[in-house]
Amino acid sequence: MSQQISILSLMIKDHRKLNDLIEKLDESTKKDFDSTKEVFTKFEWELEKHIFTEEKAIFTSYNPENVSEGYKMLPELTKHHNYIVNKLNNWREDIRKKRVLTDVYSFKEFLDNHRLFEEEKVYPKLDESLSEDDKRHVVAKINELI
């Protein structure tokens, strides 16, 4: 019997990587600008890939039978993603102007709440509602991207 495919377990690994990077970013802000810039660049790239992966690889395959119930989580998720992208844009501008990044700790807390939302509400719903073939397809796309 083949093992069931889990989008949740795959995305948890990506969340761990992002968490490690935001920790490094938080630490780097207490050091020098060059290390902050270097860590930010990597963090930004990985976080943007993560959001792209969710929005393109996962949600293009998601087609719930009960639309009103199935799509309940998407407005919240989109709101989170918009906030994240805006924060990254602001920080990118700060880096460009050689300004110190602010609110790193509060953003880290926001990302933690976002991660919990995805891991408790979003990914389990996807794992439950997608067929094994759809999940295989999604996992292939995710692996391509991350």
Side-chain angles (χ1 to χ4, degrees):
M1 189 174 135
S2 68
Q3 185 181 3
Q4 275 211 319
I5 297 167
S6 168
I7 293 169
L8 173 62
S9 61
L10 189 59
M11 295 308 280
I12 284 174
K13 287 180 195 164
D14 205 43
H15 282 161
R16 281 195 198 117
K17 178 172 49 175
L18 291 167
N19 190 56
D20 289 347
L21 286 168
I22 189 98
E23 291 289 339
K24 286 179 184 163
L25 185 63
D26 193 24
E27 284 302 307
S28 76
T29 60
K30 298 167 187 118
K31 296 177 185 168
D32 61 294
F33 178 78
D34 287 339
S35 74
T36 300
K37 181 179 179 180
E38 184 182 324
V39 176
F40 172 73
T41 303
K42 183 157 180 50
F43 172 69
E44 175 188 38
W45 172 248
E46 292 298 333
L47 189 50
E48 286 178 337
K49 265 197 318 184
H50 180 82
I51 290 172
F52 178 82
T53 299
E54 286 175 350
E55 293 182 355
K56 300 295 183 236
I58 297 174
F59 293 113
T60 53
S61 302
Y62 183 56
N63 194 7
E65 283 178 31
N66 180 339
V67 173
S68 65
E69 185 59 35
Y71 284 119
K72 223 182 244 181
M73 66 194 170
L74 292 185
E76 182 77 10
L77 193 65
T78 304
K79 199 167 90 179
H80 288 190
H81 286 177
N82 288 339
Y83 176 78
I84 290 167
V85 168
N86 283 332
K87 178 57 96 176
L88 289 176
N89 287 337
N90 291 339
W91 279 354
R92 186 180 315 112
E93 184 66 13
D94 288 341
I95 292 286
R96 200 177 66 68
K97 293 184 174 176
K98 296 188 186 296
R99 293 191 295 234
V100 175
L101 298 185
T102 56
D103 303 329
V104 177
Y105 185 80
S106 60
F107 188 59
K108 189 166 66 169
E109 288 183 324
F110 176 85
L111 285 180
D112 202 43
N113 289 330
H114 175 67
R115 176 189 59 78
L116 288 172
F117 173 70
E118 289 183 339
E119 291 177 6
E120 292 171 2
K121 302 243 179 345
V122 177
Y123 302 138
K125 170 89 63 195
L126 290 169
D127 279 331
E128 170 191 309
S129 62
L130 293 176
S131 71
E132 287 301 303
D133 270 354
D134 284 341
K135 284 194 277 186
R136 222 181 326 280
H137 180 71
V138 166
V139 165
K141 281 183 176 177
I142 291 170
N143 284 328
E144 219 174 272
L145 293 165
I146 60 177

